[in-house]
Amino acid sequence: MWADELRVDSVAVHAGRDDLGDLGVHALPIDLSTTNPLPDIERGGASYEVIASGGEPPADGSAVYARLWNPTTARFETALARLERAPAAVAFSSGMAAMTAALLALSQDGRRHVVAVRPLYGGTDHLLASGLLGTSTTFCREDEVAEAIRPDTAVVIAETPANPTLDLTDIAALVAQAGGVPVLVDNTFATPVLQNPIDLGATLVLHSATKYLGGHGDVMGGVVACADEATAAALRRVRAVTGALLHPMGAYLLHRGLATLPVRVRHQQDSAHQVAGWLACHPLVETVYYPGLDGDPRGLLRRQMRGPGAMISLLLRGGFDQARRLTDGVRLFTHAVSLGGVDSLVQHPAALTHRPVAAAARPPQGLIRFSIGLEDPGDLIADLDAALSSQPIGGDAHGRQWQRDRVPRSALAVAVPCGGRRVSSRTGR
């Protein structure tokens, strides 16, 4: 069966491994070479020029130097491109390195203006607002993109679901508003398991690969899938000059992580739906932000996504003090930044990831964000119930018995919000 005919679970396992049979290996190989032998002066020089210009090593040439190209990294790029249904992908040392390269590659020929739909990841928002890369940014709502476009606009940037309030943006409508301006979609929260923005007209699809793609909290990386080879070549040129290539060990770990990505994402999503439903009924919770709980009024979960994902945010009654009680009180959740790993995390965006964001766009002090992992959802609910009640649950996550009778197993059946109250999927503005 051809790779294009495979379903996502099969692609996740097999993509990027086409050359393993010829190499005589089964597991992914890791090439740690920092330099590579040159066949001769002429072909070595020609290889350098091709790679530094955004191409791949010639068949009769050399990879020259690890800052330019690495075969282990290239395999991961091939796999991610297939998952995103894209012609090519370019991998970087971190998600922010990927975003920086995209801005540098696109803001050429006098086009230095960016249109960005808020909310965004705090690091991206800060980079754009700072003007550090010589760009200026118009921040706007989804329905204001068309009027924000200027002759010098280089790119429109959106994140959907957005960090941290899980707002959904209609990608196809955004592309229509952008006209011929490239659209970059941050797909970190959804992953290619749940959403493929290039199918909807996006030009670039960015992932903080540190998150779901790696899935185990032990590797950093970023990757951009591109709708055309010319865009990929432009990104590779920036990467070669700036030295932001993803390290081969990181590429190996990320490629290995892709094999279990669909299984992890679906299981985490199922648990998140149960946790979100329980939270929506808690008296200390003012609003739950989780796509789909409000019935998906614009139909984006049906037209654009294949599920709501495993990220949840909530707005607590009691503001910062209640937020601190929750983050201090959990035991099974780890209080830490990042997301998408096998273990569940909780963090306070306004104090951490979104601290550099302009005050008017910063999340409220009572907002908490959860990344749901692979634990039993009943245990996660019991942990949250104890933390919100400020009552110790007896024992810890390292061997002593948890007090489970505080939350009846029937709580896990909660699939819809309580009477439609305190729920938002933020599918529109």
Side-chain angles (χ1 to χ4, degrees):
M1 179 177 288
W2 295 103
D4 290 345
E5 299 172 341
L6 297 176
R7 296 177 176 85
V8 64
D9 297 71
S10 301
V11 173
V13 172
H14 291 281
R17 299 169 184 254
D18 296 346
D19 65 337
L20 300 196
D22 292 339
L23 294 173
V25 299
H26 180 67
L28 292 166
I30 309 172
D31 188 333
L32 295 174
S33 300
T34 58
T35 191
N36 298 279
L38 307 174
D40 53 52
I41 292 176
E42 290 80 10
R43 284 184 290 170
S47 298
Y48 184 94
E49 183 173 359
V50 168
I51 304 171
S53 300
E56 297 185 354
D60 63 344
S62 167
V64 186
Y65 189 53
R67 175 167 57 82
L68 306 176
W69 191 85
N70 176 272
T72 305
T73 303
R75 288 189 190 93
F76 166 65
E77 292 170 336
T78 297
L80 190 279
R82 288 185 181 173
L83 281 170
E84 281 291 9
R85 304 174 186 173
V90 186
F92 297 85
S93 55
S94 71
M96 287 308 300
M99 179 62 74
T100 298
L103 289 169
L104 290 174
L106 295 170
S107 58
Q108 304 290 328
D109 303 322
R111 292 176 291 115
R112 296 282 181 181
H113 177 245
V114 177
V115 174
V117 178
R118 274 176 170 159
L120 290 165
Y121 165 59
T124 301
D125 194 299
H126 186 210
L127 177 65
L128 293 172
S130 71
L132 181 66
L133 301 178
T135 58
S136 64
T137 301
T138 299
F139 293 99
C140 65
R141 301 193 303 264
E142 176 188 346
D143 58 1
E144 297 173 334
V145 167
E147 63 188 71
I149 298 289
R150 304 188 328 206
D152 62 338
T153 301
V155 61
V156 175
I157 296 176
E159 181 179 8
T160 181
N163 189 351
T165 49
L166 288 301
D167 296 39
L168 301 185
T169 295
D170 187 328
I171 297 172
L174 188 71
V175 170
Q177 286 193 72
V181 175
V183 171
L184 183 155
V185 174
D186 187 327
N187 202 30
T188 299
F189 277 20
T191 82
V193 176
L194 301 178
Q195 182 171 263
N196 297 110
I198 285 177
D199 285 351
L200 301 165
T203 304
L204 305 95
V205 179
L206 183 143
H207 292 270
S208 174
T210 308
K211 312 305 192 295
Y212 283 104
L213 302 190
H216 292 77
D218 55 6
V219 56
M220 290 194 71
V223 62
V224 181
C226 304
D228 56 84
E229 176 57 34
T231 301
L235 288 172
R236 292 190 203 103
R237 287 195 295 272
V238 173
R239 185 180 67 180
V241 172
T242 59
L245 183 106
L246 175 65
H247 189 275
M249 182 60 73
Y252 162 77
L253 290 171
L254 291 173
H255 197 170
R256 187 178 68 170
L258 293 183
T260 59
L261 179 65
V263 176
R264 288 187 282 108
V265 167
R266 293 190 189 110
H267 185 97
Q268 289 165 307
Q269 176 177 257
D270 289 345
S271 295
H273 193 76
Q274 296 180 56
V275 173
W278 181 84
L279 286 167
C281 298
H282 198 285
L284 291 178
V285 175
E286 181 175 331
T287 306
V288 174
Y289 301 105
Y290 184 69
L293 279 186
D294 67 346
D296 188 24
R298 294 199 294 171
L300 293 180
L301 291 178
R302 296 186 296 276
R303 292 189 287 110
Q304 179 169 294
M305 299 180 68
R306 292 179 287 276
M311 300 298 299
I312 305 169
S313 288
L314 60 85
L315 186 62
L316 289 165
R317 303 184 189 279
F320 178 79
D321 288 341
Q322 185 62 52
R324 181 167 54 188
R325 288 171 63 192
L326 191 155
T327 57
D328 287 349
V330 290
R331 297 192 179 187
L332 193 58
F333 284 85
T334 298
H335 182 198
V337 298
S338 200
L339 58 104
V342 294
D343 60 318
S344 295
L345 305 178
V346 59
Q347 67 123 327
H348 185 264
L352 293 158
T353 54
H354 289 70
R355 194 181 191 96
V357 174
R362 197 176 301 151
Q365 291 295 320
L367 190 134
I368 291 291
R369 193 194 75 185
F370 300 99
S371 171
I372 303 300
L374 296 180
E375 301 94 342
D376 186 287
D379 291 332
L380 294 175
I381 290 172
D383 191 29
L384 291 171
D385 184 57
L388 288 168
S389 303
S390 293
Q391 296 180 13
I393 54 178
D396 57 29
H398 303 290
R400 295 195 292 273
Q401 181 66 37
W402 288 80
Q403 180 181 325
R404 294 289 296 279
D405 57 2
R406 285 186 49 78
V407 181
R409 298 300 293 184
S410 61
L412 300 185
V414 175
V416 294
C418 302
R421 296 179 294 109
R422 300 188 301 277
V423 175
S424 173
S425 74
R426 298 294 289 271
T427 56
R429 296 284 189 155

